[in-house]
Amino acid sequence: MIRMTLTEMARAVAGELRLAGAHTPDTVVSGTVDTDSRNIGPGDVFVAKPGEVTDGHLFVPAAADAGAALALVEHPVDADITQIVVPDVVAAIAALAREVVARVRAGGRLRIVGITGSNGKTTTKNLLARILQDEGETVAPRASYNNEVGAPLTMLRVTEDTRYLVSEFGAAGPGQIARLAGLVTPDVGVVLMVGLAHAGGFGGVEATLKAKTELVEAVRPGGVAVLNADDPRVVTMGAVAAARDVSVRWFGRGAAAEIRAEDVEVSGSGTTCTIVRGDERMPLRLRVLGEHHIMNALAAITAADALGVPLADAIARLETVEIAERWRMQPLGSDRIRIINDAYNASPDSMAAALRTLAQITEPGQRKVAVLGAMSELGEYAGEEHDRVGLLAVRLRIERIVVVGTDARRLFISAIGEGSWDGEAVFFETADEAYDYLMGELRDGDRVLVKSSNSAGLRHLGDRLGESFS
């Protein structure tokens, strides 16, 4: 975080300053801001966030013992540490993030990119950050820090030397992207796609479209919207951008895209294609598994292009990326038995893309094995979408379909109904049961996809399998 006095911080969050030790109102703080006391070190700021399981206020003394300079609290705590008392610590870190980013931006160097979409946000964020980090100091979210807590905490990592801030904006309901993006008014807003991920929280895909459009509406006048030319719903955002004096850069695989991919070929070592911009044609070898990640790469390249990064440099930097993120199409195991752990998140679109990738990278003589768990937050669409995944797995001729967890049982039933009844599809209540089955079932040449939403917990099953066959 930038250097701020205690008085300035209290004013930014409209809080009551309670001094401790040798602190005065003019004491300067510049440490990291975090909600986890285990991450706190000397000079840092601890945010005592109440949670569903525990209350951050219980850990203020531990933060003080770790050397924290300040605690942001909702009520005074009996601990030897300076505190700023506010009604709502989540609202307070948002207000502090707004102030910090505004101060740095006033220096004229900081450029801000916001990214949203039903799928691909974290991968695109990581790819873009890799491109930009060679241009100057770049701040981007750790993991999927994209909600009302994670996004402001990322913004608060900005310093006076930061040149680029890449923010990822997720949402479980209307208005959340508007609030988060409104803290920073991005120079560039990237919208990847509009699908059914989290549709249960929005009330349908049209409401999801409206929510994702909030990012385009938050881009500063004179800024750039980077939009998916292949998604008809995203295309409608072009008119929204034009009405706000925001220019549009289109990416995709179709002819309408300004930056597009042609000659796409998929293998077990990654995806190759030709990147086309006008008369320029440049090869890209993306080592991140999955044809669907070409769209994420295109989005990152187009955003970087809007920021003035040469196309050849962007492509060269992308080619150094081996995995997008842990638990996202992460290759594990060995050439003998390859495990692809993609169980951090799942939606109908990403589930279909992962299954198609499994089919594409499996060579003759090798078996396709899909270990599948539930897709969460689909609301009324959950049943039919799990049905679709079961049907697709059978139609892609997946030789073994291993379904795990009660919430995914309908996927198993759908696979059987489609014609997978001779042992191809099996069901287990727990990941431990599935692990025991797979340890006896897998054989040389198998290519195994592990895919589910985070809540299903199959990412840990993927890790166990990867270690067992490494």
Side-chain angles (χ1 to χ4, degrees):
M1 192 183 76
I2 64 172
R3 293 168 56 85
M4 295 180 69
T5 68
L6 291 170
T7 295
E8 288 173 328
M9 293 183 68
R11 185 180 300 120
V13 301
E16 176 193 352
L17 178 61
R18 292 177 171 238
L19 298 171
H23 282 172
T24 72
D26 294 327
T27 297
V28 173
V29 175
S30 61
T32 298
V33 182
D34 208 303
T35 57
D36 189 337
S37 61
R38 294 169 295 184
N39 297 333
I40 295 297
D44 290 345
V45 178
F46 175 59
V47 181
K49 176 182 168 296
E52 295 180 2
V53 178
T54 188
D55 186 344
H57 293 80
L58 299 174
F59 299 94
V60 172
D65 291 342
L70 173 68
L72 196 61
V73 298
E74 293 183 359
H75 58 76
V77 176
D78 184 13
D80 185 20
I81 184 173
T82 294
Q83 301 169 38
I84 297 178
V85 184
V86 295
D88 183 337
V89 293
V90 173
I93 58 173
L96 186 58
R98 184 196 300 273
E99 177 69 14
V100 166
V101 171
R103 289 188 179 204
V104 177
R105 199 177 208 170
R109 280 177 48 86
L110 181 64
R111 305 292 298 280
I112 301 170
V113 182
I115 300 172
T116 195
S118 297
N119 298 110
K121 294 183 295 294
T122 299
T123 298
T124 303
K125 170 261 299 184
N126 287 340
L127 295 178
L128 180 58
R130 174 61 193 92
I131 294 171
L132 296 178
Q133 70 184 27
D134 287 355
E135 299 291 315
E137 180 180 300
T138 300
V139 171
R142 303 183 182 99
S144 290
Y145 267 37
N146 62 20
N147 63 10
E148 62 181 0
V149 174
L153 289 181
T154 298
M155 297 168 191
L156 287 168
R157 288 169 44 212
V158 166
T159 71
E160 292 87 347
D161 296 325
T162 303
R163 186 171 177 187
Y164 299 103
L165 167 63
V166 180
S167 288
E168 177 184 339
F169 298 129
Q176 293 184 12
I177 293 174
R179 286 193 293 274
L180 294 175
L183 299 176
V184 293
T185 56
D187 299 285
V188 178
V190 181
V191 183
L192 301 170
M193 65 175 297
V194 175
L196 282 174
H198 311 295
F202 289 103
V205 71
E206 292 307 316
T208 303
L209 167 60
K210 184 177 180 180
K212 302 303 181 185
T213 305
E214 292 170 7
L215 176 55
V216 177
E217 294 170 338
V219 174
R220 65 167 181 81
V224 180
V226 173
L227 303 179
N228 182 349
D230 298 347
D231 186 324
R233 294 188 177 94
V234 176
V235 168
T236 66
M237 300 180 192
V240 176
R244 295 182 53 81
D245 189 27
V246 171
S247 62
V248 178
R249 302 294 304 278
W250 300 100
F251 69 92
R253 294 178 62 175
E258 297 171 59
I259 294 181
R260 66 183 186 276
E262 296 181 352
D263 307 321
V264 178
E265 295 185 7
V266 182
S267 72
S269 60
T271 305
T272 62
C273 68
T274 300
I275 301 298
V276 180
R277 182 184 64 181
D279 295 331
E280 297 177 276
R281 300 177 65 86
M282 298 185 185
L284 167 65
R285 181 181 179 274
L286 190 66
R287 289 194 274 179
V288 180
L289 287 179
E291 181 177 356
H292 52 294
H293 287 309
I294 288 295
M295 288 297 288
N296 300 328
L298 285 170
I301 291 170
T302 307
D305 186 64
L307 292 168
V309 179
L311 184 62
D313 290 347
I315 290 173
R317 294 165 193 171
L318 287 185
E319 292 185 331
T320 69
V321 179
E322 296 185 5
I323 64 169
E325 182 90 29
R326 186 182 181 191
W327 300 317
R328 287 177 169 85
M329 298 303 288
Q330 181 182 9
L332 300 170
S334 64
D335 288 340
R336 185 171 69 87
I337 297 178
R338 175 64 67 200
I339 310 297
I340 303 170
N341 194 352
D342 193 31
Y344 188 84
N345 221 331
S347 69
D349 293 314
S350 69
M351 187 74 84
L355 285 169
R356 291 191 179 98
T357 297
L358 177 65
Q360 289 171 320
I361 68 173
T362 304
E363 299 177 0
Q366 299 176 338
R367 285 197 311 176
K368 301 179 288 293
V369 180
V371 183
L372 306 176
M375 301 176 288
S376 62
E377 300 183 61
L378 292 177
E380 63 181 292
Y381 303 97
E384 63 187 81
E385 293 302 328
H386 282 88
D387 286 347
R388 291 179 193 275
V389 171
L391 297 177
L392 179 62
V394 174
R395 291 170 183 175
L396 289 172
R397 301 184 183 277
I398 307 296
E399 284 85 358
R400 287 291 181 269
I401 303 169
V402 182
V403 183
V404 185
T406 302
D407 290 343
R409 188 175 183 87
R410 187 158 167 174
L411 191 162
F412 167 68
I413 294 170
S414 175
I416 293 175
E418 179 66 8
S420 179
W421 56 74
D422 191 24
E424 295 97 332
V426 293
F427 173 80
F428 298 99
E429 291 281 354
T430 69
D432 286 341
E433 293 172 325
Y435 176 80
D436 292 339
Y437 166 79
L438 289 163
M439 289 302 295
E441 172 65 24
L442 296 181
R443 66 193 191 204
D444 286 3
D446 284 351
R447 297 297 179 256
V448 185
L449 169 70
V450 183
K451 180 71 173 172
S452 74
S453 283
N454 196 2
S455 58
L458 295 196
R459 62 195 186 281
H460 302 304
L461 172 60
D463 285 344
R464 289 179 69 188
L465 292 170
E467 183 175 350
S468 297
F469 295 108
S470 62

